[in-house]
């Protein structure tokens, strides 16, 4: 059987679904950058890439060396090709401007260059999450691209994906017609399609949440998790298993593989922030992937993809995964 590489899949999409050639090129470049990041991550202590910088990002989090390296790899790979009007990253305060010496294109690329930073130094899976939007028409306006161009609801994404750097490096991608999984063949140097049609099972017996925050949760989440923990004897009448990797890519990847529900609710630790995860860099791309795989994603009260962003680094509560469970916990927020 001939192997379908990412490049071949993208060319076929151009023919069968009219995927524009510049979008195809964009995804190819992002995938190439993910290969380079995978290579850096895998060097670990041998490459001197572990540990922290002395800097903090815009979120006030200490940056890991690999956060910064990954961010630079993505910027350098994508800035010159002429397919982008701008980029935004979890690791940068403001929108990144395409340098004047390069042509500009129709798309915006938004990314979390290395998600799951707390796992880098302990050799647990991390990943890159990305989202592609169209740049709104600027009516001939010259000059810097402002933050407003990026503030589009997740329904406007034309592509989303993530690379996971685990025992295998994989790329999961949606162009809005299902989710495909590609595994990096290091001998070939190519991503090869290994998962043709990824589907999240509708029901599950596995949940993911950071239980150490339990005392800070709001009532609907307290209720739902207590029911999960009650198992067969409780109202849900089945026993649940729990996993929490603290790398969203790894937790979501498990859910895409065997089902489950992932939750990072808002809590009372920092009441002004509606959750820990970021809408643009994490929640929107992951929600598009999960929905395209037949699952659901809400912030407890509404579909994540319908949220109108008001700022680039906005936070959001996240409930995503198997439909039945996401609907149940969302329903408890309405009760
Ligand atoms: P990061 O982008 O700074 O790595 O933070 C996001 C990560 C997610 O990958 C993960 O789901 C979550 O933070 C874990 O948070 P916690 O350490 O509070 O359990
Ligand atoms: Mg992240």
């Amino acid at each position: 059987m001939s192997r379908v590489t990412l490049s071949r899949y993208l060319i076929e999409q151009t023919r069968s679904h009219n995927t524009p050639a510049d979008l195809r090129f964009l995804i190819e470049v992002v995938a190439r950058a993910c290969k380079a990041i995978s290579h850096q991550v895998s060097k670990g202590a041998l490459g001197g890439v572990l540990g922290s910088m002395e800097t903090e990002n815009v979120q006030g989090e200490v940056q890991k060396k690999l956060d910064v390296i990954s961010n630079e790899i993505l910027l350098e790979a994508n800035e010159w090709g002429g397919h982008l009007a701008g980029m935004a990253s979890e690791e940068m305060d403001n929108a990144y401007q395409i340098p004047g010496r390069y042509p500009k294109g129709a798309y915006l690329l938004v990314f979390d260059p290395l998600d799951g930073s707390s796992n880098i130094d302990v050799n647990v899976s991390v990943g890159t999450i990305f989202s592609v939007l169209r740049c709104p028409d600027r009516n001939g306006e010259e000059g810097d691209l402002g933050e407003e161009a990026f503030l589009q609801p997740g329904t406007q994404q034309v592509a989303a994906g993530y690379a996971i750097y685990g025992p295998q490096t994989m790329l999961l991608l949606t162009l809005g017609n299902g989710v495909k999984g590609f595994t990096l063949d290091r001998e070939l140097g190519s991503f090869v399609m290994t998962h043709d049609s990824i589907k999240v099972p509708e029901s599950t017996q596995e949940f993911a949440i950071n239980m150490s925050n339990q005392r800070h949760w709001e009532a609907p989440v307290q209720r739902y998790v207590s029911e999960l923990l009650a198992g067969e004897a409780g109202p849900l009448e089945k026993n649940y298993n729990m996993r929490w990797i603290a790398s969203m890519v790894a937790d979501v990847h498990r859910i895409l593989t065997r089902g489950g529900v992932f939750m990072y609710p808002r809590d009372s630790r920092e009441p002004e922030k509606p959750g820990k995860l970021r809408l643009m860099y994490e929640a929107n791309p992951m929600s598009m992937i999960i929905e395209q795989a037949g699952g659901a994603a809400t912030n407890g009260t509404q579909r994540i993809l319908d949220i109108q962003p008001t700022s680039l680094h906005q936070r959001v509560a996240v409930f995503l995964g198997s439909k039945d469970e996401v609907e149940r916990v969302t329903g408890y927020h309405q009760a």
Side-chain angles (χ1 to χ4, degrees):
M1 198 185 80
S2 72
R3 307 218 290 175
V4 178
T5 60
L6 176 67
S7 304
R8 178 171 157 190
Y9 168 70
L10 290 171
I11 287 174
E12 284 171 3
Q13 286 294 299
T14 310
R15 291 201 198 108
S16 59
H17 286 85
N18 286 330
T19 300
D22 51 348
L23 178 58
R24 188 182 93 207
F25 180 60
L26 197 175
I27 303 289
E28 292 257 23
V29 175
V30 170
R32 207 175 303 148
C34 291
K35 274 189 246 176
I37 296 171
S38 169
H39 185 65
Q40 291 295 329
V41 168
S42 70
K43 286 183 186 173
L46 294 176
V49 293
L50 301 185
S52 298
M53 308 282 290
E54 278 162 12
T55 49
E56 285 185 353
N57 66 11
V58 63
Q59 341 271 338
E61 299 159 346
V62 174
Q63 289 180 301
K64 299 278 184 184
K65 284 186 197 165
L66 274 168
D67 282 328
V68 175
I69 293 170
S70 306
N71 195 52
E72 278 167 11
I73 289 175
L74 280 157
L75 295 178
E76 278 173 24
N78 283 286
E79 66 181 2
W80 53 269
H83 47 280
L84 286 177
M87 291 185 254
S89 161
E90 188 183 300
E91 298 299 333
M92 295 185 300
D93 299 11
N94 303 310
Y96 181 81
Q97 308 297 324
I98 302 297
R101 60 187 180 281
Y102 298 129
K104 293 188 183 55
Y107 295 102
L108 301 172
L109 179 65
V110 177
F111 51 82
D112 178 355
L114 203 59
D115 180 62
S117 294
S118 70
N119 283 318
I120 294 173
D121 294 343
V122 293
N123 202 0
V124 167
S125 300
V126 289
T128 300
I129 310 173
F130 63 93
S131 154
V132 182
L133 295 160
R134 272 194 199 87
C135 186
D137 190 356
R138 299 186 71 202
N139 296 322
E141 191 194 323
E142 297 286 324
D144 281 2
L145 186 69
E147 174 170 325
E148 331 71 64
F150 293 83
L151 303 182
Q152 307 178 40
T155 46
Q156 298 301 309
Q157 295 172 108
V158 293
Y162 65 80
I164 178 167
Y165 314 117
Q168 304 104 44
T169 286
M170 286 191 69
L171 184 86
L172 276 275
L173 175 69
T174 180
L175 299 172
N177 56 347
V179 182
K180 307 285 180 193
F182 302 84
T183 304
L184 180 60
D185 181 330
R186 291 187 191 273
E187 283 152 31
L188 275 183
S190 312
F191 280 105
V192 176
M193 193 187 288
T194 45
H195 298 69
D196 185 18
S197 175
I198 294 178
K199 292 272 170 262
V200 181
E202 280 189 14
S203 65
T204 182
Q205 287 179 240
E206 200 158 65
F207 70 99
I209 193 165
N210 184 339
M211 284 295 296
S212 70
N213 298 325
Q214 182 170 22
R215 67 192 179 286
H216 305 294
W217 298 336
E218 294 174 338
V221 182
Q222 297 282 7
R223 174 183 169 193
Y224 177 61
V225 175
S226 72
E227 290 181 2
L228 296 173
L229 295 176
E232 257 171 14
L236 306 184
E237 296 176 341
K238 51 182 180 172
N239 293 326
Y240 284 77
N241 187 22
M242 196 197 91
R243 289 284 184 273
W244 184 250
I245 301 174
S247 271
M248 191 187 195
V249 279
D251 281 309
V252 168
H253 193 71
R254 184 188 60 255
I255 289 170
L256 286 166
T257 310
R258 67 179 188 209
V261 55
F262 170 97
M263 294 172 273
Y264 212 118
R266 71 180 300 155
D267 63 41
S268 60
R269 282 175 297 170
E270 291 180 277
E272 70 290 354
K273 288 185 187 157
K276 173 182 180 185
L277 299 177
R278 273 106 335 183
L279 176 63
M280 305 288 295
Y281 313 110
E282 295 164 328
N284 269 343
M286 289 310 203
S287 298
M288 181 177 180
I289 295 167
I290 287 284
E291 284 198 7
Q292 285 292 322
T298 76
N299 68 352
T301 52
Q302 73 178 120
R303 182 183 176 215
I304 285 177
L305 294 181
D306 285 336
I307 297 173
Q308 171 61 52
T310 53
S311 71
L312 214 43
H313 297 286
Q314 176 172 348
R315 314 264 180 158
V316 67
V318 175
F319 301 87
L320 61 75
S322 294
K323 225 176 191 161
D324 292 353
E325 300 294 340
V326 174
E327 280 171 7
R328 179 183 297 277
V329 66
T330 304
Y332 288 180
H333 283 76
Q334 268 101 55

